[in-house]
């Protein structure tokens, strides 16, 4: 009874209710979220993990803008059929530079966490242009404007800078050359191309993704992004990492 | 409506609108190289229109002093009209995207109408546009009656209501132009989020100011829920939307969190947006309108207390059930599952308390479609929370997650619970607010009820089917140990269910249109000009009902 008596008194004070609600509601979040930042094992170590190139980052932003995440997940669960269908299950480290993450919640289309290099660039271009040209029963929308819209690169430096502010290790050199690196990644023959491999590593995919080297389109960016998915680090493919993560 | 404001209040309102217009102009100029500039123009135009509107009635005679003896209901009226506009719009978009999954060419080509951009327009439109306006309108109505106190002034409630609608408008137009953070239910970008923080803080302060003037010693249960709704949504919104914009003149920002921490924060937010926006607020509504409409006191005061604190505490732990079998550490998943199961107790406590309140009034439920909306809402609330706890069990979730089962679950709650209780509350309050005997057409309320119920049932059953079928097909193996079905096979199997869902949605949409027509015709009807007992802060006739039965 006394607990109800206490409540009866608290109910007559708006401030008592306010404080009560704030305290009671805060506990769950504090206990579940705060340790994720402090417990080291939450995110595996992967020394080979690289950051997105400016072109890939721009492609990721197009993926966000178009709401691809509404139909596609990027999170392979630790379930046998998920792994058999999509590849090794996703590790936390693989999205450690993803601000925000795009794990998704609905698979109207297949998971894309490991779509990188599963198909050719031409396949992606044709598919994005009109999915039904490639998969007749597809319900995915056609994104035919990507091919004809030039990519905006002028503010890519600002993008990298903001990314650095939230913790992604972009260097001053990367920020200063963001726009030209985006151009060069899709123009491997240009003299600027060396800069990209110097800054982002030899393994960076350098090619004209949309097949039209003359202009840098949004299609270039989006395909560059799709082709890197699941390939920023090899961690998930290493048996050791798998075993460790499973522990 | 402007005539109700005093001269000083008119001046204050104009000053606020000038500030908004100037802010809009600055955003327009600063963001002229970016889509943000278009939003600046929109804010500027909204501010100017309001200045114009107030200016037109600026010299109207001032209201008489006896307005202070009555409750201030103009913002509630406007909020209900806005809610009805939003619901028709957002249900129409919902049904459109549902048909797009049947026939993808229904985007008709342009970028703004593709599925990925329209889907958040639908979710924001129903949750924030329809649900939010209904919550704000009813909270103003309820807090005044249950406190026997008038809102403290006549400008702040308008600021909250119209400021909130500006938020919704910026959110929805933003998605169409591709401005989105991609965080589910938290899609608006940083500057729109900041605006909501301003509106929301003022909303809570207004609530406290009203409660401070109350003449009832106790704060009625509905207000606990409305307070939890406002407070916790503020906490969730601020934490989940922490982000760094690429520049002050660009719409784009990057979330402060990444990867696994971001996922946990997002679903802590997302699940509790369901809990405190789509549940707590509507329970507050239910605890007021259901007892009054049924003419029965709340069944148990103690059950209200236990349920309230149970919901406030347990819900905040449950978000991680959205991340089963992912890269989120397992201990967090287990906590999420455990608390989701415990959550069933307070949830059924509320549902049971409300249904038991109807004991002795079941004949009214039979005859009165408005009360039946509320009864069905309580039933669906009970069903959906049971289903939710069930789906939070890891092994069940391994089947349901990523499939349409989730969508079916969401809509059992959204259509069956949120929309039904809101329609019930709107049908109850429109005659009260506009001083009419009853709705323009009780028959149309009946028609709406059956359209809504059948639409919901068709929707939910088709999504259960498609979800479970797809989940099972994904995990079926051949004897040789290889997967039996390609993804495309499962896609083809979904087709008939997608048609059924879109038809169910169409029923629900038509019901919504019938409701909007009925509300509109009720407003147009000539009514009694005299004020009613419920307008004046004296113990209203119904207030006996709101005393606990024990
Ligand atoms: C005419 C009635 C409605 C129709 C036809 C409809 C249709 C849809 C569709 C097609 C989706 C996307 C599902 C997918 O991605 O596969 C969706 C999502 C959603 N809708 Fe509705 N909807 C309706 C009413 C409502 C109402 C009234 C609410 C809330 C009050 C609501 C809340 C939601 C939410 C929260 C989601 C996201 C679900 C998720 O993330 O799993 N809907 N709706």
């Amino acid at each position: 009874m006394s607990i109800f008596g206490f409540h009866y008194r608290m109910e007559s004070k708006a401030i008592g209710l306010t404080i009560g609600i704030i305290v009671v509601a805060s506990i769950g979040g504090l206990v579940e979220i705060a340790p994720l930042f402090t417990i080291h094992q939450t995110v595996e170590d992967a020394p080979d993990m690289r950051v997105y190139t400016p072109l890939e980052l721009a492609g990721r932003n197009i993926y966000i803008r178009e709401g691809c995440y509404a139909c596609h997940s990027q999170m392979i669960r630790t379930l046998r059929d998920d792994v058999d269908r999509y590849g090794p299950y996703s590790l936390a480290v693989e999205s450690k530079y993803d601000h925000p993450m795009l794990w998704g919640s609905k698979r109207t289309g297949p998971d894309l966490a490991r779509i990188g290099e599963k198909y050719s660039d031409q396949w992606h271009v044709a598919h994005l242009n009109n999915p039904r040209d490639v998969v007749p029963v597809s319900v995915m929308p056609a994104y035919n404007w990507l091919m004809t819209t030039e990519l905006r690169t002028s503010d890519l430096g600002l993008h990298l800078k903001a990314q650095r502010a939230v913790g992604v290790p972009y260097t001053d050199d990367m920020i200063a050359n963001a726009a030209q690196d985006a151009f060069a990644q899709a123009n491997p023959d240009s003299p600027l191309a060396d800069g990209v491999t110097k800054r982002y590593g030899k393994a960076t995919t350098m090619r004209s993704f949309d097949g039209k080297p003359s202009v840098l389109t949004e299609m270039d960016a989006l395909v560059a992004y799709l082709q890197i998915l699941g390939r920023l680090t090899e961690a998930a493919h290493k048996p050791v990492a798998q075993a460790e993560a499973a522990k | 409506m402007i005539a109700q404001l005093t001269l000083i209040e008119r001046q204050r309102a104009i000053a606020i609108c000038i500030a908004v217009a100037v802010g809009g102009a600055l955003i327009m100029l600063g963001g002229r190289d970016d889509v943000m500039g278009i939003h600046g123009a929109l804010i500027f135009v909204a501010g100017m229109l309001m200045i114009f509107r107030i200016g037109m009635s600026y010299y109207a005679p001032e209201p008489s002093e006896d307005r202070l003896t009555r409750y201030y209901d103009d913002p509630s009226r406007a909020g209900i009209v806005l809610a009805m506009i939003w619901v028709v719009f957002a249900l129409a978009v919902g049904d459109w995207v549902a048909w797009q999954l049947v026939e993808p060419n229904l985007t008709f080509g342009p970028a703004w109408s593709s599925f990925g951009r329209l889907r958040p327009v639908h979710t924001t439109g129903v949750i924030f546009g329809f649900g939010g306006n209904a919550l704000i309108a009813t909270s103003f109505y309820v807090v005044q009656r249950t406190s026997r106190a008038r809102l403290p002034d006549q400008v702040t409630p308008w600021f909250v209501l119209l400021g909130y609608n500006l938020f919704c408008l910026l959110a929805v137009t933003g998605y169409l132009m591709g401005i989105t953070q991609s965080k589910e239910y938290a899609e608006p970008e940083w500057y729109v989020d900041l605006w909501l923080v301003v509106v929301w803080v003022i909303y809570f302060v207004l609530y406290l100011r009203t409660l401070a003037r109350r003449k009832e010693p106790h704060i009625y249960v509905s207000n606990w829920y409305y307070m939890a709704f406002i407070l916790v949504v503020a906490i969730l919104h601020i934490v989940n939307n922490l982000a760094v914009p690429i520049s002050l003149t660009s719409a784009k920002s990057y979330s402060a969190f990444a990867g696994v921490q971001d996922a946990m924060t997002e679903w802590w937010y997302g699940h509790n947006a369901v809990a405190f926006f789509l549940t707590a607020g509507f329970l507050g509504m239910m605890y007021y309108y259901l007892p009054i409409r049924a003419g029965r006191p709340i069944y148990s005061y103690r059950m209200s207390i236990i349920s309230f604190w149970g919901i406030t505490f347990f819900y905040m732990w449950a978000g991680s059930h959205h991340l089963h079998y992912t890269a989120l550490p397992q201990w967090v998943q287990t906590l999420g599952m455990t608390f989701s199961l415990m959550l069933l107790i307070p949830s059924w406590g509320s549902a049971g308390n409300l249904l038991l309140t109807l004991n002795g009034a079941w004949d009214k439920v039979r005859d009165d479609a408005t009360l039946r909306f509320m009864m069905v809402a309580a039933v669906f609330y009970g069903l959906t929370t049971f289903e939710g706890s069930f789906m939070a069990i890891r092994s069940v979730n391994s089947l349901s997650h990523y499939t349409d089962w989730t969508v079916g679950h969401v809509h059992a709650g959204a259509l069956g619970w949120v929309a039904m209780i809101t329609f019930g509350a709107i049908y109850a309050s429109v005659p009260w607010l506009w001083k009419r005997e009853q709705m323009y057409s009780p028959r149309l309320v009946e028609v709406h009820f059956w359209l809504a119920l059948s639409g919901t049932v068709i929707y939910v059953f088709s999504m259960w089917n498609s979800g479970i079928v797809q989940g099972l097909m994904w995990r079926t193996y051949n004897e040789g140990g290889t997967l039996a079905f390609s993804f495309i096979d499962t896609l083809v199997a979904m087709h008939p269910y997608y048609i059924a869902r879109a038809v169910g949605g169409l029923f629900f949409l038509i019901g919504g249109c019938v409701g909007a027509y009925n509300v509109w015709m009720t407003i147009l009807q000539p009514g009694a000009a005299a004020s009613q007992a419920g307008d004046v802060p004296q113990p209203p006739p119904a207030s006996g009902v709101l005393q606990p039965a024990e």
Side-chain angles (χ1 to χ4, degrees):
Chain A
M1 183 61 232
S2 66
I3 181 160
F4 293 108
F6 170 73
H7 200 273
Y8 199 69
R9 281 200 301 283
M10 184 168 85
E11 248 174 74
S12 54
K13 303 239 176 355
I15 212 67
L17 274 175
T18 305
I19 295 171
I21 292 170
I22 293 180
V23 170
V24 168
S26 301
I27 302 171
L30 284 175
V31 174
E32 290 187 348
I33 300 178
L36 297 181
F37 290 92
T38 53
I39 300 179
H40 182 71
Q41 290 93 314
T42 304
V43 181
E44 307 81 359
D45 288 320
D48 64 336
M49 176 76 186
R50 80 152 165 88
V51 296
Y52 293 110
T53 65
L55 187 65
E56 292 154 7
L57 185 69
R60 191 170 194 275
N61 289 335
I62 295 168
Y63 186 97
I64 290 175
R65 182 187 78 193
E66 299 302 343
C68 310
Y69 61 85
C71 290
H72 291 288
S73 59
Q74 290 186 20
M75 173 45 62
I76 304 170
R77 294 171 295 172
T78 54
L79 296 169
R80 178 178 163 211
D81 55 301
D82 253 35
V83 171
D84 284 348
R85 191 177 296 277
Y86 301 115
Y89 58 77
S90 302
L91 301 183
V93 63
E94 292 179 276
S95 49
K96 111 170 163 179
Y97 296 139
D98 284 8
H99 294 264
M101 57 85 209
L102 294 171
W103 292 9
S105 64
K106 178 72 175 64
R107 283 183 186 156
T108 301
D111 188 277
L112 298 181
R114 308 216 179 278
I115 195 73
E117 302 298 340
K118 180 177 161 193
Y119 298 107
S120 66
D121 296 342
Q122 290 87 325
W123 188 92
H124 281 298
V125 171
H127 184 250
L128 287 166
N129 220 28
N130 183 7
R132 276 152 296 289
D133 289 347
V134 190
V135 183
V137 296
S138 179
V139 296
M140 174 164 144
Y143 293 95
N144 49 6
W145 58 89
L146 298 177
M147 197 64 194
T148 49
T149 313
E150 233 177 284
L151 183 71
R152 175 172 171 160
T153 54
S154 55
D155 56 3
L156 276 175
L158 290 175
H159 283 263
L160 263 53
K161 232 176 167 162
Q163 286 262 313
R164 183 160 75 180
V166 291
V168 184
Y170 284 110
T171 61
D172 288 338
D173 192 24
M174 290 169 169
I175 292 172
N177 293 296
Q180 92 184 34
D181 282 351
F183 172 80
Q185 193 181 350
N187 286 273
D189 299 334
S190 96
L192 301 169
D194 288 347
V196 180
T197 40
K198 187 177 113 240
R199 280 180 280 274
Y200 296 93
K202 287 243 164 10
T204 312
T205 325
M206 309 273 293
R207 44 184 199 242
S208 171
F209 296 91
D210 68 353
K212 285 196 304 183
S214 50
V215 271
L216 188 64
T217 62
E218 296 196 336
M219 186 66 92
D220 277 312
L222 184 55
V223 174
Y225 171 63
L226 291 173
Q227 295 291 32
I228 197 65
L229 278 175
R231 299 176 55 248
L232 290 172
T233 162
E234 288 294 310
H237 296 272
K238 292 197 184 106
V240 191
Q242 290 264 3
E244 234 171 41
K247 258 194 270 168
Chain B
M1 290 188 178
I2 311 281
Q4 276 292 312
L5 304 185
T6 61
L7 195 60
I8 295 195
E9 285 172 333
R10 286 173 210 173
Q11 286 162 357
R12 283 195 194 132
I14 289 185
I16 294 173
C17 296
I18 291 177
V20 169
V22 170
L26 289 176
I27 295 178
M28 183 163 69
L29 291 177
R32 63 187 176 283
D33 292 334
D34 190 87
V35 267
M36 192 182 186
I38 302 175
H39 265 166
L42 200 69
I43 300 170
F44 176 72
V45 170
M48 291 308 283
L49 282 177
M50 282 307 297
I51 295 173
F52 196 65
R53 176 73 190 79
I54 303 168
M56 283 203 329
S57 312
Y58 186 77
Y59 291 110
E62 287 201 72
S64 64
E65 279 299 309
D66 71 341
R67 74 178 188 284
L68 297 176
T69 63
R70 269 171 283 130
Y71 295 128
Y72 187 46
D73 286 335
D74 283 351
S76 296
R77 292 191 189 104
I80 284 183
V81 171
L82 286 164
M84 290 311 291
I85 293 172
W86 276 105
V87 78
V88 170
F89 164 75
L91 290 182
V93 176
D95 209 39
W96 183 8
V97 295
W99 286 109
Q100 283 189 0
L101 290 182
V102 175
E103 173 43 60
N105 290 324
L106 288 175
T107 65
F108 306 113
W112 64 265
S113 63
S114 75
F115 184 91
R117 294 199 191 184
L118 284 184
R119 189 185 192 270
V121 172
H122 161 63
T123 53
T124 301
V126 278
I127 301 176
F128 297 111
F130 168 56
N133 272 302
L135 286 172
I136 293 176
T138 57
S139 72
F140 288 162
Y141 185 89
V142 170
V143 72
Q144 297 186 86
R145 266 74 183 174
T146 54
S147 309
R148 281 196 285 135
R150 191 177 206 265
L151 290 171
D153 72 286
Q154 302 188 120
V155 176
T156 321
W158 284 111
F159 175 79
V160 171
L161 182 74
L162 298 178
Y164 178 76
N165 277 277
L166 181 61
F167 161 80
C168 296
L169 190 69
L170 292 175
V172 163
T173 50
Y175 313 149
L176 296 176
M177 297 186 286
I179 306 178
T180 171
Q181 295 192 97
S182 84
K183 295 187 151 205
E184 277 184 70
Y185 321 123
E187 290 93 347
E189 269 292 357
W190 61 277
Y191 55 101
V192 185
D193 288 336
L194 283 176
W195 173 245
L196 184 66
V197 172
V198 173
V199 171
W200 217 244
V201 169
I202 293 181
Y203 183 20
F204 191 68
V205 173
L206 175 67
Y207 218 83
L208 287 184
R209 283 165 64 206
T210 313
L211 287 175
R213 296 156 55 94
R214 75 184 184 279
K215 295 183 199 65
E216 288 282 344
H218 289 278
I219 300 177
Y220 181 63
V221 194
S222 288
N223 295 317
W224 314 348
Y225 279 107
Y226 281 122
M227 283 166 78
F229 146 64
I230 305 171
L231 271 175
V232 180
V233 167
I235 299 176
L236 296 167
H237 174 80
I238 291 171
V239 175
N240 187 43
N241 283 306
L242 290 174
V244 175
I246 67 164
S247 86
L248 290 180
T249 54
S250 166
K252 178 74 191 165
S253 72
Y254 288 102
S255 164
F257 312 112
V260 60
Q261 292 95 354
D262 187 46
M264 186 57 222
T265 311
E266 158 59 22
W267 287 110
W268 166 79
Y269 166 89
H271 189 71
N272 290 297
V274 174
F276 289 87
F277 210 102
L278 295 180
T279 301
F282 291 92
L283 280 172
M285 203 188 262
M286 182 91 137
Y287 267 105
Y288 181 81
Y289 288 96
L290 185 135
I292 294 228
R293 188 78 185 186
R296 305 274 312 155
I298 283 289
Y299 173 72
S300 163
Y301 168 69
R302 291 181 191 179
M303 248 161 103
S304 329
I305 295 181
I306 295 173
S307 308
F308 175 75
W309 291 106
I311 284 177
T312 309
F313 181 64
F314 290 154
Y315 250 115
M316 298 298 272
W317 296 76
S320 51
H321 68 219
H322 288 259
L323 300 168
H324 279 326
Y325 301 99
T326 65
L328 182 76
Q330 180 142 6
W331 64 268
V332 195
Q333 301 179 23
T334 310
L335 272 179
M337 165 171 137
T338 315
F339 277 85
S340 304
L341 289 172
M342 294 195 282
L343 197 50
L344 189 58
I345 300 165
S347 302
W348 275 29
S350 298
N353 204 1
L354 290 160
L355 286 173
L356 288 168
T357 300
L358 290 173
N359 266 349
W362 288 101
D363 55 319
K364 290 193 192 158
V365 176
R366 188 191 56 212
D367 300 337
D368 177 7
T370 302
L371 189 56
R372 218 177 312 127
F373 264 113
M374 300 181 197
M375 186 277 288
V376 169
V379 171
F380 267 101
Y381 178 62
L383 289 177
T384 312
T385 47
F386 177 79
E387 188 190 22
S389 295
F390 183 61
M391 291 166 79
I393 300 171
R394 270 166 68 85
S395 50
V396 179
N397 190 272
S398 73
L399 180 73
S400 72
H401 195 54
Y402 295 137
T403 74
D404 285 320
W405 188 350
T406 309
V407 178
H409 166 68
V410 167
H411 287 86
L415 306 178
W417 154 238
V418 172
M420 296 272 189
I421 181 60
T422 309
F423 288 134
I426 287 180
Y427 284 133
S429 35
V430 164
W432 296 339
L433 281 169
W434 274 275
K435 327 254 180 286
R436 308 286 186 258
E437 284 285 307
Q438 55 176 13
M439 288 299 296
Y440 163 72
S441 163
R443 290 236 352 245
L444 286 181
V445 180
E446 195 72 45
V447 170
H448 182 188
F449 174 79
W450 290 108
L451 280 169
L453 185 61
S454 54
T456 307
V457 171
I458 298 173
Y459 192 122
V460 173
F461 270 89
S462 45
M463 288 297 98
W464 275 342
N465 272 304
S466 69
I468 292 172
V469 167
Q470 191 170 39
L472 290 175
M473 285 176 85
W474 282 347
R475 57 163 64 171
T476 305
Y477 281 86
N478 288 320
E479 287 181 9
T482 52
L483 290 165
F485 300 103
S486 72
F487 191 90
I488 304 297
D489 294 335
T490 71
L491 192 64
V492 174
M494 296 303 97
H495 191 70
Y497 302 116
Y498 282 169
I499 297 178
R501 182 258 303 271
V503 170
L506 191 60
F507 281 24
F508 203 87
L509 166 64
I510 296 172
C513 296
V514 170
Y517 171 77
N518 205 357
V519 167
W520 190 239
M521 292 308 285
T522 313
I523 297 174
L524 290 186
Q525 249 179 2
S531 67
Q532 292 175 347
D535 297 338
V536 190
Q538 41 172 262
S543 87
V545 165
L546 295 180
Q547 299 307 318
E550 289 167 17

